[in-house]
PDB file of all heavy atoms in Angstrom:
ATOM      1  N   GLY L 216     -90.145 -49.176  33.172  1.00 97.00           N
ATOM      2  CA  GLY L 216     -90.411 -50.521  33.517  1.00 97.00           C
ATOM      3  C   GLY L 216     -89.759 -50.922  34.801  1.00 97.00           C
ATOM      4  O   GLY L 216     -90.330 -51.484  35.661  1.00 97.00           O
ATOM      5  N   GLU L 217     -88.367 -50.713  34.793  1.00 98.00           N
ATOM      6  CA  GLU L 217     -87.542 -51.141  35.902  1.00 98.00           C
ATOM      7  C   GLU L 217     -87.948 -50.244  37.255  1.00 98.00           C
ATOM      8  O   GLU L 217     -87.948 -50.599  38.351  1.00 98.00           O
ATOM      9  CB  GLU L 217     -86.147 -51.054  35.669  1.00 98.00           C
ATOM     10  CG  GLU L 217     -85.776 -52.216  34.714  1.00 98.00           C
ATOM     11  CD  GLU L 217     -85.995 -53.480  35.122  1.00 98.00           C
ATOM     12  OE1 GLU L 217     -85.174 -54.145  35.762  1.00 98.00           O
ATOM     13  OE2 GLU L 217     -87.064 -54.028  34.677  1.00 98.00           O
ATOM     14  N   LEU L 218     -88.244 -49.027  37.047  1.00 98.00           N
ATOM     15  CA  LEU L 218     -88.505 -48.081  38.149  1.00 98.00           C
ATOM     16  C   LEU L 218     -89.926 -48.556  38.750  1.00 98.00           C
ATOM     17  O   LEU L 218     -90.121 -48.664  39.918  1.00 98.00           O
ATOM     18  CB  LEU L 218     -88.792 -46.682  37.547  1.00 98.00           C
ATOM     19  CG  LEU L 218     -88.969 -45.629  38.619  1.00 98.00           C
ATOM     20  CD1 LEU L 218     -87.787 -45.517  39.526  1.00 98.00           C
ATOM     21  CD2 LEU L 218     -89.384 -44.109  38.047  1.00 98.00           C
ATOM     22  N   GLY L 219     -90.854 -48.926  37.834  1.00 97.00           N
ATOM     23  CA  GLY L 219     -92.208 -49.390  38.476  1.00 97.00           C
ATOM     24  C   GLY L 219     -91.957 -50.746  39.248  1.00 97.00           C
ATOM     25  O   GLY L 219     -92.611 -51.047  40.103  1.00 97.00           O
ATOM     26  N   ARG L 220     -90.983 -51.541  38.814  1.00 98.00           N
ATOM     27  CA  ARG L 220     -90.620 -52.743  39.515  1.00 98.00           C
ATOM     28  C   ARG L 220     -90.095 -52.550  40.796  1.00 98.00           C
ATOM     29  O   ARG L 220     -90.473 -53.208  41.838  1.00 98.00           O
ATOM     30  CB  ARG L 220     -89.699 -53.624  38.675  1.00 98.00           C
ATOM     31  CG  ARG L 220     -89.574 -55.012  39.177  1.00 98.00           C
ATOM     32  CD  ARG L 220     -88.795 -55.861  38.161  1.00 98.00           C
ATOM     33  NE  ARG L 220     -89.680 -56.259  37.180  1.00 98.00           N
ATOM     34  CZ  ARG L 220     -89.560 -55.919  35.824  1.00 98.00           C
ATOM     35  NH1 ARG L 220     -88.634 -55.027  35.545  1.00 98.00           N
ATOM     36  NH2 ARG L 220     -90.388 -56.280  34.931  1.00 98.00           N
ATOM     37  N   TYR L 221     -89.110 -51.670  40.869  1.00 98.00           N
ATOM     38  CA  TYR L 221     -88.365 -51.586  42.182  1.00 98.00           C
ATOM     39  C   TYR L 221     -88.686 -50.323  42.968  1.00 98.00           C
ATOM     40  O   TYR L 221     -88.349 -50.197  44.231  1.00 98.00           O
ATOM     41  CB  TYR L 221     -86.783 -51.445  41.791  1.00 98.00           C
ATOM     42  CG  TYR L 221     -86.351 -52.740  41.202  1.00 98.00           C
ATOM     43  CD1 TYR L 221     -85.992 -52.735  39.864  1.00 98.00           C
ATOM     44  CD2 TYR L 221     -86.263 -53.928  41.883  1.00 98.00           C
ATOM     45  CE1 TYR L 221     -85.557 -53.894  39.234  1.00 98.00           C
ATOM     46  CE2 TYR L 221     -85.878 -55.081  41.295  1.00 98.00           C
ATOM     47  CZ  TYR L 221     -85.513 -55.167  39.926  1.00 98.00           C
ATOM     48  OH  TYR L 221     -85.043 -56.316  39.363  1.00 98.00           O
ATOM     49  N   ALA L 222     -89.290 -49.369  42.394  1.00 97.00           N
ATOM     50  CA  ALA L 222     -89.730 -48.077  43.116  1.00 97.00           C
ATOM     51  C   ALA L 222     -91.093 -47.499  42.645  1.00 97.00           C
ATOM     52  O   ALA L 222     -91.163 -46.527  42.092  1.00 97.00           O
ATOM     53  CB  ALA L 222     -88.643 -46.997  42.995  1.00 97.00           C
ATOM     54  N   PRO L 223     -92.110 -48.395  42.843  1.00 97.00           N
ATOM     55  CA  PRO L 223     -93.582 -48.071  42.271  1.00 97.00           C
ATOM     56  C   PRO L 223     -94.059 -46.765  42.834  1.00 97.00           C
ATOM     57  O   PRO L 223     -94.589 -46.053  42.032  1.00 97.00           O
ATOM     58  CB  PRO L 223     -94.322 -49.319  42.619  1.00 97.00           C
ATOM     59  CG  PRO L 223     -93.602 -49.962  43.780  1.00 97.00           C
ATOM     60  CD  PRO L 223     -92.106 -49.667  43.583  1.00 97.00           C
ATOM     61  N   ALA L 260     -82.316 -46.402  43.419  1.00 97.00           N
ATOM     62  CA  ALA L 260     -83.639 -46.762  42.996  1.00 97.00           C
ATOM     63  C   ALA L 260     -83.781 -47.872  41.958  1.00 97.00           C
ATOM     64  O   ALA L 260     -84.624 -48.810  42.149  1.00 97.00           O
ATOM     65  CB  ALA L 260     -84.490 -45.417  42.500  1.00 97.00           C
ATOM     66  N   VAL L 261     -82.794 -47.818  41.122  1.00 98.00           N
ATOM     67  CA  VAL L 261     -82.897 -48.919  39.912  1.00 98.00           C
ATOM     68  C   VAL L 261     -81.566 -49.572  39.650  1.00 98.00           C
ATOM     69  O   VAL L 261     -81.543 -50.892  39.739  1.00 98.00           O
ATOM     70  CB  VAL L 261     -83.484 -48.153  38.664  1.00 98.00           C
ATOM     71  CG1 VAL L 261     -83.342 -49.044  37.476  1.00 98.00           C
ATOM     72  CG2 VAL L 261     -84.857 -47.580  38.791  1.00 98.00           C
ATOM     73  N   LYS L 264     -80.322 -52.539  41.587  1.00 97.00           N
ATOM     74  CA  LYS L 264     -81.293 -53.653  41.795  1.00 97.00           C
ATOM     75  C   LYS L 264     -81.463 -54.480  40.461  1.00 97.00           C
ATOM     76  O   LYS L 264     -81.848 -55.659  40.483  1.00 97.00           O
ATOM     77  CB  LYS L 264     -82.566 -53.281  42.237  1.00 97.00           C
ATOM     78  CG  LYS L 264     -82.505 -52.430  43.654  1.00 97.00           C
ATOM     79  CD  LYS L 264     -83.828 -51.991  44.218  1.00 97.00           C
ATOM     80  CE  LYS L 264     -83.833 -51.304  45.502  1.00 97.00           C
ATOM     81  NZ  LYS L 264     -83.069 -50.155  45.543  1.00 97.00           N
ATOM     82  N   THR L 265     -81.520 -53.719  39.254  1.00 98.00           N
ATOM     83  CA  THR L 265     -81.974 -54.404  38.056  1.00 98.00           C
ATOM     84  C   THR L 265     -80.851 -55.363  37.564  1.00 98.00           C
ATOM     85  O   THR L 265     -79.613 -55.083  37.517  1.00 98.00           O
ATOM     86  CB  THR L 265     -82.220 -53.276  37.075  1.00 98.00           C
ATOM     87  OG1 THR L 265     -82.657 -53.900  35.765  1.00 98.00           O
ATOM     88  CG2 THR L 265     -80.997 -52.402  36.732  1.00 98.00           C
ATOM     89  N   PRO L 266     -81.387 -56.475  36.983  1.00 98.00           N
ATOM     90  CA  PRO L 266     -80.409 -57.304  36.262  1.00 98.00           C
ATOM     91  C   PRO L 266     -80.048 -56.903  34.868  1.00 98.00           C
ATOM     92  O   PRO L 266     -79.207 -57.497  34.174  1.00 98.00           O
ATOM     93  CB  PRO L 266     -81.235 -58.644  36.120  1.00 98.00           C
ATOM     94  CG  PRO L 266     -82.734 -58.232  36.122  1.00 98.00           C
ATOM     95  CD  PRO L 266     -82.718 -57.090  37.041  1.00 98.00           C
TER      96      PRO L 266
END
Side-chain angles (χ1 to χ4, degrees):
E217 294 301 275
L218 186 68
R220 181 172 291 112
Y221 297 110
V261 175
K264 301 179 175 69
T265 179

